[in-house]
Amino acid sequence: MGSASATQSDKDGTQPWYDWDTDVDADGNALTNLRALDTGDLENAAYHDRSQWSTETLTIEVGTDFPSLQEAVYAIPFVPYESVEITIPRGTDLSDEDVVVPQTVLGAGTVSGRGYEHKIRITGDQSNPSNCPVGSIVVAGVNGGIISVDGVEFQRANPYSDDDNGFAAFYTNQARVHNCAFAGGVNGIMSYGSNLEIHQVDFGNGVLEGDGITVKHFGFVNEQRAGSEPPTSGTVGGHAYVATNGWIATVRDTNVPSVPSTLSGEDGLIDYGTTRSGFVTAELAGSESLMRFLGSYQWSGDVHQVKPGKGFVTHSPDGTKYRIRVDNDGNVVTDQL
């Protein structure tokens, strides 16, 4: 911002109704023209210069067309009829950027080779996301088609909400996180009233202090897996999955060799915030789900607890929590928590 300072003198102010005896230093501006002061980042000119409508396919390269990823996403029109492709060249360090993709309504155009759905795509290095570090990304109200984030490594929690996620989608009808990774932060990915697909995400081992995948306010996460794709993986400090007024589905295709998600948490696999939450793991080619948790929890197959010393946590009538587990001899043990 600009600066204004006052120093004592024997002169009057620049207008007759000012009765103080001072000069005012306003960077060369008269008191009647203080709007000319530089206000810095109080208003982002790139955002206010967004076009209303576009019928052309937009191809944008960070570092060439715009110096920052934030300015690149501000180049997305309010209503883009065709696709927007934003690429981050390998080796571009955007770790100091906490990016907000602003509200956008996607038109009904087509995207060559991928169908109409993938209308906005932010692409880094899909083979090695660490070559494209980004501080954090928030998608805020993008509707009408899919917005994809591919091949970036999230560095920290975003500062725009109390949920502290490296990636978050707010009231977005379809977003996709693919071939991404985490290098640090508090919580991983959140769907807040949004429909979110997750493919091949590495949450790291111990780099996140909190939870991995969270749904809130009737959000939905579809953690998909097909063929030889690497699975969702990593170990987080909190829960692997948190369902608070939302639903999480992990799905894999059994028609081809596939490995299920290996995402785990130090505090356990799933944390349910309310009864209006669900967690489903299913094989697309199977006759029935492996597990189904919706209100009253049911399962038709074995339930595997893969971390030694962990088990089921339940509450006694007086509210005391107990963990039920087995020891090395297979004896059932209960631990008061």
Side-chain angles (χ1 to χ4, degrees):
M1 293 183 62
S3 61
S5 60
T7 58
Q8 293 289 335
S9 80
D10 57 357
K11 297 180 180 179
D12 292 331
T14 58
Q15 297 293 339
W17 54 84
Y18 293 121
D19 56 4
W20 62 82
D21 291 332
T22 61
D23 285 333
V24 176
D25 175 9
D27 288 351
N29 295 285
L31 289 176
T32 55
N33 191 28
L34 289 179
R35 289 186 179 182
L37 288 171
D38 179 14
T39 57
D41 290 331
L42 286 182
E43 291 185 347
N44 191 304
Y47 175 78
H48 292 287
D49 287 341
R50 291 179 72 197
S51 62
Q52 298 293 317
W53 184 271
S54 170
T55 59
E56 301 293 331
T57 298
L58 299 180
T59 302
I60 300 169
E61 182 175 286
V62 177
T64 300
D65 299 304
F66 293 96
S68 69
L69 179 56
Q70 185 64 77
E71 289 179 273
V73 300
Y74 279 163
I76 301 171
F78 284 99
V79 183
Y81 188 76
E82 292 290 346
S83 66
V84 180
E85 297 276 352
I86 299 174
T87 59
I88 305 170
R90 181 181 301 176
T92 304
D93 186 359
L94 304 174
S95 57
D96 61 343
E97 285 199 52
D98 295 300
V99 178
V100 177
V101 182
Q103 186 175 18
T104 306
V105 179
L106 302 174
T110 61
V111 180
S112 175
R114 289 202 310 277
Y116 77 94
E117 296 93 348
H118 291 78
K119 299 302 294 295
I120 299 175
R121 188 154 81 166
I122 300 170
T123 305
D125 187 346
Q126 297 188 49
S127 62
N128 189 354
S130 64
N131 286 327
C132 294
V134 178
S136 65
I137 294 179
V138 170
V139 178
V142 175
N143 292 287
I146 297 176
I147 173 171
S148 295
V149 178
D150 300 345
V152 305
E153 183 184 69
F154 304 106
Q155 304 297 303
R156 60 177 182 243
N158 78 74
Y160 305 118
S161 75
D162 295 332
D163 297 286
D164 295 330
N165 294 97
F167 177 91
F170 290 87
Y171 297 114
T172 293
N173 76 319
Q174 201 160 5
R176 182 174 181 263
V177 182
H178 184 222
N179 265 334
C180 291
F182 285 84
V186 181
N187 298 313
I189 293 175
M190 182 178 69
S191 168
Y192 191 104
S194 303
N195 188 340
L196 178 61
E197 296 180 12
I198 297 175
H199 301 249
Q200 301 172 241
V201 175
D202 181 3
F203 286 82
N205 291 308
V207 300
L208 291 176
E209 304 169 21
D211 303 312
I213 298 172
T214 301
V215 291
K216 298 180 73 173
H217 288 261
F218 301 100
F220 177 75
V221 166
N222 186 357
E223 182 193 354
Q224 294 189 344
R225 174 93 173 93
S228 58
E229 291 181 350
T232 302
S233 60
T235 301
V236 298
H239 291 86
Y241 304 93
V242 177
T244 302
N245 259 3
W247 296 266
I248 300 172
T250 62
V251 181
R252 65 190 181 111
D253 186 353
T254 59
N255 291 315
V256 289
S258 179
V259 178
S261 168
T262 60
L263 180 61
S264 62
E266 294 293 333
D267 288 342
L269 183 65
I270 314 164
D271 178 30
Y272 288 98
T274 74
T275 57
R276 290 175 292 189
S277 301
F279 182 86
V280 179
T281 65
E283 296 183 350
L284 291 179
S287 59
E288 56 186 347
S289 297
L290 297 176
M291 284 196 305
R292 181 172 183 173
F293 288 170
L294 288 169
S296 61
Y297 309 143
Q298 319 169 22
W299 53 87
S300 56
D302 291 331
V303 179
H304 292 266
Q305 169 52 260
V306 297
K307 190 172 183 61
K310 298 294 184 180
F312 288 100
V313 176
T314 186
H315 293 75
S316 65
D318 65 2
T320 305
K321 290 199 299 185
Y322 292 90
R323 179 190 294 117
I324 302 172
R325 59 179 179 84
V326 296
D327 60 20
N328 289 331
D329 298 321
N331 300 311
V332 176
V333 180
T334 59
D335 303 314
Q336 183 175 339
L337 301 178

